[in-house]
Amino acid sequence: MADDSQLEQIEGEIRDHFRALANGFQKLDKIKDPNRQTKQLEELTGKMRECKRLIKEFDREIKDGENGNPPEVNKQLNEKKQSLIKELNSYVALRKTYTSSLGNKRVELFDMGAGGSDPAGEDNVQMASAMSNQELISSGMKTMNETDQAIERSKQVVEQTVEVGAQTAGKLKGQTEQMGRIVNELDTIHFSIKKASQLVKEIGRQVATDKCIMLFLFLIVCGVIAIIIVKIVNPNNKNIRDIPGLAPPAPTTSRRLLSVKTMGAFH
């Protein structure tokens, strides 16, 4: 990402040179001596060269941070650079006018390149000794038209980039929603498995309880059966209590007499 502080510093220096150029050309109108005018033009030319160097440095900073900046920021920085180039070209044209009036036909035209993305924006120094003011204006208009066309192309590239970004965002949104649905389904499956595990544990506890109850009942039944067998085998055993509801019937009077006679007969 481009260093904003560095860009602001470079732009500030360029603006300072532009103000110095504006003041210098205003002073040039008041100078009548041709020698002093020539010296003043040389100083202004030096400031223009410095502006040209700073604009190149500004362009390098933009290109270094171009990949890390959003398309809108790159567009604004390139438009700002083109604005600086146009302002510098206006001072170059003004210098041409004063140089022609002084009889100096050798003029250097500064051309910083039409587009911000064109890497061939090096020095394009032309000799304008045979060019009139009208030809210079026509050349400047042509450069401005090329710059406008480059800006339009940059706008189209930005629009296409924004459109691709919107499509990518839509696809990512769809994938995010699909992932959300998958996560919800996994949560449902996990909850079902947890519920089934709890149910199995509950059934296991109930089965274990039922087994204990059945074992206890089995032991009781076995005890009752054992007592009944003992009573049948030895009904006169008083050490074993009768089970309620299973006690043998009490002997009647006739049975008692019969028992006594039987016992007397044995004696």
Side-chain angles (χ1 to χ4, degrees):
M1 186 174 183
D3 190 351
D4 294 338
S5 61
Q6 184 69 17
L7 290 174
E8 290 176 358
Q9 180 180 356
I10 296 173
E11 184 182 2
E13 292 178 8
I14 294 173
R15 296 295 180 189
D16 291 339
H17 283 297
F18 284 165
R19 283 191 289 270
L21 287 171
N23 294 331
F25 281 111
Q26 289 178 358
K27 293 179 181 178
L28 191 61
D29 291 333
K30 300 177 181 178
I31 297 175
K32 303 301 181 182
D33 184 7
N35 293 329
R36 291 181 58 192
Q37 286 183 344
T38 302
K39 185 177 179 180
Q40 181 71 8
L41 280 175
E42 290 176 356
E43 293 178 359
L44 295 175
T45 301
K47 292 185 181 299
M48 292 181 199
R49 290 196 179 97
E50 182 64 16
C51 287
K52 178 181 177 181
R53 184 190 66 79
L54 290 172
I55 291 175
K56 282 186 177 182
E57 187 176 351
F58 189 86
D59 184 51
R60 282 194 299 269
E61 289 291 333
I62 294 174
K63 290 178 179 178
D64 290 339
E66 190 173 10
N67 294 331
N69 289 333
E72 295 80 6
V73 175
N74 289 328
K75 178 182 177 182
Q76 292 175 359
L77 292 175
N78 283 318
E79 288 177 354
K80 184 178 291 185
K81 188 195 74 171
Q82 293 300 331
S83 175
L84 295 174
I85 292 173
K86 287 183 179 180
E87 189 169 353
L88 178 59
N89 285 336
S90 67
Y91 286 116
V92 171
L94 191 60
R95 174 182 174 274
K96 158 66 178 164
T97 302
Y98 282 99
T99 303
S100 297
S101 64
L102 290 173
N104 185 2
K105 300 297 181 180
R106 185 180 179 86
V107 181
E108 294 178 354
L109 296 179
F110 292 78
D111 185 7
M112 304 301 297
S117 59
D118 185 7
E122 301 295 333
D123 295 346
N124 184 15
V125 181
Q126 299 178 351
M127 300 304 299
S129 57
M131 293 178 64
S132 63
N133 290 337
Q134 184 62 36
E135 291 174 340
L136 181 62
I137 293 173
S138 299
S139 177
M141 291 297 295
K142 180 181 178 181
T143 302
M144 291 179 65
N145 290 334
E146 292 176 352
T147 302
D148 292 338
Q149 292 175 3
I151 292 174
E152 288 298 324
R153 289 194 296 270
S154 300
K155 288 181 179 179
Q156 292 177 0
V157 172
V158 171
E159 290 175 356
Q160 293 174 358
T161 303
V162 171
E163 183 178 357
V164 172
Q167 293 176 356
T168 304
K171 292 180 180 178
L172 289 176
K173 183 179 179 182
Q175 292 177 355
T176 303
E177 292 176 352
Q178 185 177 1
M179 289 298 296
R181 289 193 296 269
I182 293 173
V183 170
N184 292 334
E185 291 176 359
L186 290 175
D187 290 340
T188 303
I189 294 172
H190 180 266
F191 177 78
S192 300
I193 293 174
K194 185 176 180 182
K195 199 71 175 177
S197 177
Q198 293 176 352
L199 183 60
V200 169
K201 289 181 181 178
E202 186 66 25
I203 292 173
R205 285 195 293 267
Q206 292 179 359
V207 170
T209 303
D210 292 342
K211 285 183 179 180
C212 291
I213 294 173
M214 292 298 293
L215 179 61
F216 181 69
L217 292 175
F218 177 74
L219 292 175
I220 293 174
V221 171
C222 290
V224 171
I225 293 173
I227 292 172
I228 292 172
I229 293 173
V230 171
K231 281 291 184 179
I232 292 173
V233 173
N234 190 6
N236 295 322
N237 190 351
K238 302 298 181 180
N239 293 326
I240 301 176
R241 299 178 60 184
D242 295 332
I243 298 174
L246 296 177
T252 60
T253 304
S254 59
R255 287 182 180 177
R256 230 181 256 126
L257 291 175
L258 180 60
S259 177
V260 171
K261 289 180 180 180
T262 305
M263 291 177 65
F266 282 109
H267 288 292

